[in-house]
Amino acid sequence: MSSNSGIQIPSRLPLLCTHDGVLLPGSTMRISVDTARNMQLVKSRLLKGTSLKSTIIGVIPNTRDPEHDSDELPSLHSIGTAGLAVQVVGSNWPKPHYTLLITGLCRFRVTQLLREKPFPVAEVEQLDKLEQYTEGDQADGELGELSQRFYQAAVQLVGMLDMSVPVVAKLRRLLDSLPKETLPDVLASMIRTSNKEKLQVLDAVDLEERFKKALPLLTRQIEGLKLLQKTRQHLFLLCLTTPSSSLPKVCFVLFCFFGHRLKKMPQSMPEYALTRNYLEMMVELPWSKSSTDCLDIRAARVLLDNDHYAMEKLKRRVLEYLAVRQLKSTLKGPILCFVGPPGVGKTSVGRSIARTLGREFHRLALGGVCDQSDIRGHRRTYVGSMPGRIINGLKTVGVNNPVFLLDEVDKLGKSLQGDPAAALLEVLDPEQNHSFTDHYLNVPFDLSQVLFIATANTTATIPPALLDRMEVLQVPGYTQEEKVEIAHRHLIPHQLEQHGLTPQQLQIPQDTTKDIISKYTREAGVRSLERKIGAICRAVAVKFAEGHKVSRAESPTEQHAGKTGTFSSHTSLLFTAAAPPEMPIVIDPIALKDILGPPVFEMEVSERLTLPGVAIGLAWTPMGGEIMFVEASRMEGEGQLTLTGQLGDVMKESAHLAISWLRSNAKTYLLTNGSADPLEGTDIHLHFPAGAVTKDGPSAGVTIVTCLASLLSGRLVRSDVAMTGEITLRGLVLPVGGIKDKVLAAHRANLKRVIIPKRNEKDLEEIPPQVRADLDFVFASTLDEVLNAAFDGGFPAAVSHPQVVSKL
């Protein structure tokens, strides 16, 4: 037995090998035992032993992590710690293992490994020579200075901790009672250190070296606590440094309350982080910070015209807002809703409005949102709670009067977590949003100065209460002329820049742009047009990247003589291996076809109307206006009507109305063929092509009547006529919506005559002048007028019944 400073350990010790921690003298450590050798040591020595000597074992670190099923003894560290097993707890889940609570006594060195199985036993030499220092004859010099510095650092560290924690209070008392030579081991085991750093302390047998190894670790821990305390003090001082003018009174009182509460709260409490995040959010919100509006109407008009072509109604509404702001600076922000098909520039107009006003811009994508907490935030009682996207957006922009774009407001969902559309009612109500209360903040925030702009493809899916709070501005599709202007003002320059090209390298004439619009895209907006222009830029960029030269083709003979075509053997753009061209590449129709392929959309209107029983209607969809063919055929039968094409109930009712009206007026329009009922012994099949698309609405009534009249009379409907309008059983034509989109669809299809209800004549004011000049409009109030305009030479009534038209 060895004897050092009253600590006696056996000269032979069983060794417990550890790989997940380092036990230091004077510290207590829990060790999990699950390897075969360690399990055998616990069973043979600790569980069966009866004397104190049997509970003293050697705890020695492994130099590498051994495999649990390996029979080979792992490499052992040369120095370990003799420890007293205070507690042994066994468990069979998830597999048999023991958990030991061991208190370190002193260091030892392995002098000889006596055996390896069933558990290692070694001859050891005790290393701690403590009696010399405790006697006091070595308390001066460098060692004494180191011990004093270490003691002062330990006192400083403990003083920075929360004394209300029992462990910290106990450690403070131990500092005065423990010998100074034990402090390096005790403190190194308590502060945040790596196993490698603890091994360095364990290997420091010399006391002076041990102080030198442990002191930097203690200093590092103190510096980390200082930095943390500085952050906390900065947050605490916010209560005093934040002027009451920047926070509303109720917010300032609440902020001070939680600030003083946080100061008394231990950092280990879960509520500490929640409270701190809450206070930081309140400080960062722009309660009274706002940006200054640019109220120069002339400059605003120029900026809007430069950013967007057409869209006169939207521009006028923004200028009206600026004009009123000049007269009244406290004007509340309007709540606008841009409704139109995709790709017409609704989102980019919102961004342009923010630039015009000189305000910050923030976009909220609401498509698919189905949780009201996304709008109003989570209550702070929930784990992971956070404010809603409205408050987060204000924190991001840093001012209380930004332009907020609520994108795709018509695509909000609904779930068990609530209805976000209902949560938006308070946000978008000018009479309520001056005191919007987010669940996370739980204090009112003024949203009255925010300019809200919502976008939607249709108002049909927007709840009526939400729609009532917004000023709806329709953004219809573009005409071909407008698309050409937009392409050459914005799209082509943007795509050239995106693909690293210049106007000196690539040019797309207006005729080519018109071909792209009419033959390769069919849309109300310009997204597909921009993609096609991008495809042209990529094709040209490939040739420039390959270092090829472009030259005009002269003849097929020269091509055959040795020139190589770029896109095909017949293209007008030919490339030869040389330097890049000096002249710009001009895309003509032949090159366009070679790059984009055959035309996707060929106008088939005249081909479809070569037989009786076909008419062209006009339909409105969220994607814009479209032309719609209606086909009818007759066959022998029992007078039944068959409808196909995924029709809704309203359209089915329109078909039955049309049949009833034609049967009741068959003699008037000479449709009887010798029989009182034109459907006697005849079945009618009415079909609406594009059967995969659901169709509904009353505006196809006049088209169905014209189609059936053509079928029953055997006469062809004019191939350049399209129509829209609701019908009644008495033959009246009622007004419908979406006139501008429908007229633009007819214009895109190169139709010449459009029949619309008389009461929709006022809607033509929204149609661009060049479109009105290209079309012949017929305003019909009765079906008689519709039929007369749809057939060449009219659709004459019987001479003996002239009064029927007036009755209708």
Side-chain angles (χ1 to χ4, degrees):
M1 299 284 290
S2 301
S3 177
N4 288 320
S5 185
I7 300 177
Q8 298 179 352
I9 63 172
S11 58
R12 294 184 178 184
L13 286 178
L15 302 182
L16 182 71
C17 304
T18 64
H19 61 273
D20 56 353
V22 178
L23 178 66
L24 294 174
S27 64
T28 301
M29 177 180 174
R30 290 191 181 274
I31 302 176
S32 179
V33 174
D34 55 2
T35 62
R37 285 186 172 87
N38 289 346
M39 293 275 287
Q40 190 63 37
L41 185 151
V42 173
K43 294 177 182 177
S44 303
R45 184 68 178 241
L46 300 181
L47 297 182
K48 294 182 179 180
T50 57
S51 64
L52 178 64
K53 178 182 176 181
S54 63
T55 60
I56 299 177
I57 60 176
V59 180
I60 193 163
N62 294 339
T63 57
R64 60 180 178 85
D65 187 7
E67 298 181 1
H68 293 294
D69 56 353
S70 175
D71 292 334
E72 181 184 355
L73 182 67
S75 300
L76 301 178
H77 200 64
S78 60
I79 296 178
T81 302
L84 179 66
V86 180
Q87 186 183 58
V88 180
V89 178
S91 175
N92 289 322
W93 190 89
K95 63 179 182 179
H97 70 281
Y98 293 99
T99 300
L100 308 182
L101 182 63
I102 300 180
T103 298
L105 301 176
C106 63
R107 288 174 176 78
F108 67 83
R109 176 181 282 115
V110 177
T111 58
Q112 182 181 0
L113 185 64
L114 301 179
R115 73 180 189 192
E116 296 184 5
K117 294 182 178 180
F119 53 86
V121 177
E123 186 83 24
V124 300
E125 173 191 359
Q126 184 169 344
L127 297 177
D128 292 333
K129 309 295 183 181
L130 305 179
E131 71 281 353
Q132 296 178 357
Y133 183 74
T134 54
E135 290 174 358
D137 56 351
Q138 297 291 334
D140 54 357
E142 185 177 0
L143 180 59
E145 181 183 352
L146 281 174
S147 65
Q148 186 63 27
R149 286 172 54 194
F150 194 92
Y151 174 76
Q152 292 175 353
V155 172
Q156 181 182 3
L157 174 66
V158 176
M160 298 173 68
L161 301 178
D162 188 358
M163 297 301 295
S164 62
V165 179
V167 176
V168 177
K170 182 179 180 180
L171 178 61
R172 181 66 185 88
R173 294 192 299 269
L174 287 176
L175 285 179
D176 297 329
S177 60
L178 284 175
K180 289 186 173 64
E181 63 268 17
T182 63
L183 292 182
D185 290 331
V186 174
L187 269 297
S189 64
M190 297 182 64
I191 61 179
R192 183 171 297 178
T193 54
S194 64
N195 286 343
K196 182 178 179 180
E197 293 169 334
K198 289 181 179 178
L199 271 178
Q200 293 176 354
V201 176
L202 179 66
D203 291 341
V205 178
D206 182 71
L207 189 57
E208 182 176 335
E209 181 185 0
R210 194 181 309 162
F211 274 112
K212 291 180 179 179
K213 293 289 185 181
L215 185 58
L217 305 180
L218 191 62
T219 304
R220 184 183 65 188
Q221 187 75 15
I222 292 173
E223 294 299 324
L225 287 176
K226 285 182 178 179
L227 181 61
L228 182 61
Q229 287 186 348
K230 184 182 295 185
T231 305
R232 293 185 64 185
Q233 290 173 0
H234 173 71
L235 185 60
F236 298 151
L237 290 175
L238 287 175
C239 293
L240 301 176
T241 59
T242 302
S244 58
S245 58
S246 64
L247 286 176
K249 184 177 180 180
V250 61
C251 301
F252 184 73
V253 172
L254 192 64
F255 184 88
C256 293
F257 171 76
F258 279 104
H260 291 297
R261 184 178 178 182
L262 181 68
K263 190 173 183 180
K264 301 177 182 178
M265 192 182 301
Q267 297 182 18
S268 58
M269 290 185 62
E271 193 177 354
Y272 177 86
L274 298 177
T275 305
R276 176 174 174 174
N277 292 338
Y278 174 68
L279 294 177
E280 289 177 347
M281 172 61 68
M282 292 190 70
V283 171
E284 294 172 356
L285 283 177
W287 298 94
S288 58
K289 182 181 178 181
S290 60
S291 57
T292 303
D293 286 348
C294 175
L295 300 179
D296 188 345
I297 295 184
R298 292 185 179 179
R301 188 190 301 273
V302 172
L303 182 60
L304 287 173
D305 289 338
N306 291 337
D307 286 351
H308 291 86
Y309 184 75
M311 294 189 174
E312 299 302 328
K313 183 184 294 186
L314 270 65
K315 297 177 185 177
R316 184 170 62 248
R317 182 62 183 87
V318 176
L319 296 177
E320 290 171 355
Y321 172 72
L322 289 177
V324 178
R325 276 300 302 269
Q326 287 185 351
L327 302 177
K328 185 177 181 180
S329 59
T330 59
L331 176 67
K332 294 181 179 179
I335 299 171
L336 308 177
C337 181
F338 299 159
V339 179
V344 297
K346 301 184 296 295
T347 302
S348 60
V349 167
R351 186 176 289 106
S352 180
I353 290 174
R355 284 207 309 131
T356 302
L357 297 175
R359 293 191 181 188
E360 297 292 331
F361 177 81
H362 188 72
R363 173 178 171 268
L364 297 179
L366 298 181
V369 173
C370 56
D371 187 350
Q372 70 162 353
S373 297
D374 277 5
I375 307 298
R376 302 194 64 120
H378 304 81
R379 300 190 184 277
R380 295 196 306 278
T381 54
Y382 294 105
V383 176
S385 59
M386 62 181 67
R389 299 172 70 175
I390 301 293
I391 296 298
N392 257 331
L394 290 169
K395 173 188 172 184
T396 301
V397 298
V399 292
N400 63 2
N401 64 338
V403 174
F404 261 31
L405 185 76
L406 308 178
D407 215 2
E408 309 292 355
V409 73
D410 59 327
K411 298 174 181 62
L412 286 169
K414 185 187 297 186
S415 67
L416 296 176
Q417 284 73 37
D419 185 1
L424 280 175
L425 294 179
E426 181 183 3
V427 176
L428 300 182
D429 192 338
E431 302 300 325
Q432 300 181 34
N433 63 8
H434 64 277
S435 58
F436 170 72
T437 303
D438 185 273
H439 287 162
Y440 182 85
L441 288 181
N442 205 28
V443 290
F445 194 97
D446 186 5
L447 299 179
S448 61
Q449 298 303 313
V450 178
L451 174 55
F452 287 102
I453 299 177
T455 67
N457 296 132
T458 176
T459 58
T461 55
I462 302 177
L466 181 60
L467 186 63
D468 182 64
R469 283 163 165 76
M470 299 185 292
E471 179 182 346
V472 177
L473 298 177
Q474 295 290 338
V475 187
Y478 298 113
T479 65
Q480 178 171 309
E481 290 75 13
E482 290 172 341
K483 290 183 180 180
V484 171
E485 287 294 328
I486 292 172
H488 286 269
R489 290 188 182 190
H490 304 288
L491 303 185
I492 294 178
H494 176 71
Q495 287 298 319
L496 289 177
E497 181 183 356
Q498 290 294 313
H499 292 84
L501 299 173
T502 64
Q504 289 73 33
Q505 294 174 314
L506 173 63
Q507 290 184 3
I508 303 177
Q510 287 199 358
D511 291 340
T512 303
T513 306
K514 291 180 181 178
D515 287 343
I516 299 175
I517 295 170
S518 60
K519 297 180 180 180
Y520 294 92
T521 64
R522 181 175 289 177
E523 57 175 349
V526 291
R527 281 183 182 158
S528 294
L529 175 59
E530 185 172 17
R531 284 193 288 267
K532 299 300 181 184
I533 295 173
I536 295 174
C537 293
R538 290 193 298 272
V540 174
V542 168
K543 299 304 177 182
F544 272 99
E546 292 175 348
H548 286 211
K549 184 175 180 180
V550 183
S551 61
R552 296 294 300 178
E554 298 179 3
S555 67
T557 304
E558 293 182 355
Q559 294 178 15
H560 184 70
K563 295 186 178 181
T564 305
T566 51
F567 302 122
S568 70
S569 61
H570 302 289
T571 183
S572 60
L573 294 179
L574 300 179
F575 293 74
T576 57
E582 297 179 0
M583 299 298 292
I585 300 176
V586 180
I587 304 297
D588 59 12
I590 299 177
L592 180 66
K593 183 176 180 180
D594 194 79
I595 297 173
L596 299 182
V600 179
F601 301 105
E602 292 285 357
M603 292 305 172
E604 53 180 352
V605 175
S606 58
E607 299 175 3
R608 298 284 292 269
L609 272 72
T610 56
L611 295 174
V614 183
I616 304 175
L618 296 174
W620 179 92
T621 70
M623 310 296 290
E626 293 182 358
I627 63 171
M628 176 179 61
F629 292 95
V630 181
E631 302 174 349
S633 62
R634 61 190 301 179
M635 63 214 75
E636 293 184 2
E638 300 177 353
Q640 295 181 353
L641 174 64
T642 302
L643 301 172
T644 56
Q646 280 210 57
L647 308 183
D649 292 337
V650 177
M651 190 170 284
K652 291 178 180 178
E653 292 173 356
S654 296
H656 287 288
L657 277 173
I659 286 288
S660 298
W661 185 84
L662 285 173
R663 293 176 72 176
S664 63
N665 292 274
K667 292 182 179 180
T668 304
Y669 294 98
L670 307 178
L671 303 177
T672 57
N673 291 329
S675 174
D677 186 357
L679 267 63
E680 183 178 352
T682 301
D683 286 348
I684 299 293
H685 186 165
L686 200 62
H687 178 64
F688 293 76
V693 180
T694 303
K695 310 169 189 68
D696 202 5
S699 61
V702 295
T703 312
I704 298 173
V705 170
T706 305
C707 175
L708 293 175
S710 171
L711 176 68
L712 297 177
S713 66
R715 299 180 58 186
L716 295 177
V717 180
R718 288 181 53 166
S719 61
D720 60 349
V721 174
M723 60 200 74
T724 183
E726 183 179 357
I727 62 173
T728 69
L729 195 58
R730 299 299 180 186
L732 299 178
V733 179
L734 302 182
V736 292
I739 291 297
K740 181 176 182 180
D741 289 318
K742 294 176 180 179
V743 170
L744 293 179
H747 187 260
R748 287 196 299 267
N750 292 326
L751 300 176
K752 301 303 181 185
R753 177 176 290 185
V754 177
I755 304 173
I756 62 175
K758 176 71 174 177
R759 290 165 59 183
N760 282 119
E761 184 177 1
K762 62 181 185 301
D763 297 322
L764 294 187
E765 296 179 1
E766 301 179 0
I767 308 297
Q770 64 271 22
V771 175
R772 293 202 302 265
D774 292 341
L775 296 175
D776 175 24
F777 292 94
V778 177
F779 307 105
S781 56
T782 65
L783 284 174
D784 181 70
E785 296 171 353
V786 172
L787 295 176
N788 279 326
F791 292 89
D792 284 325
F795 204 74
V799 178
S800 58
H801 299 284
Q803 72 280 7
V804 174
V805 177
S806 62
K807 290 182 179 178
L808 298 177

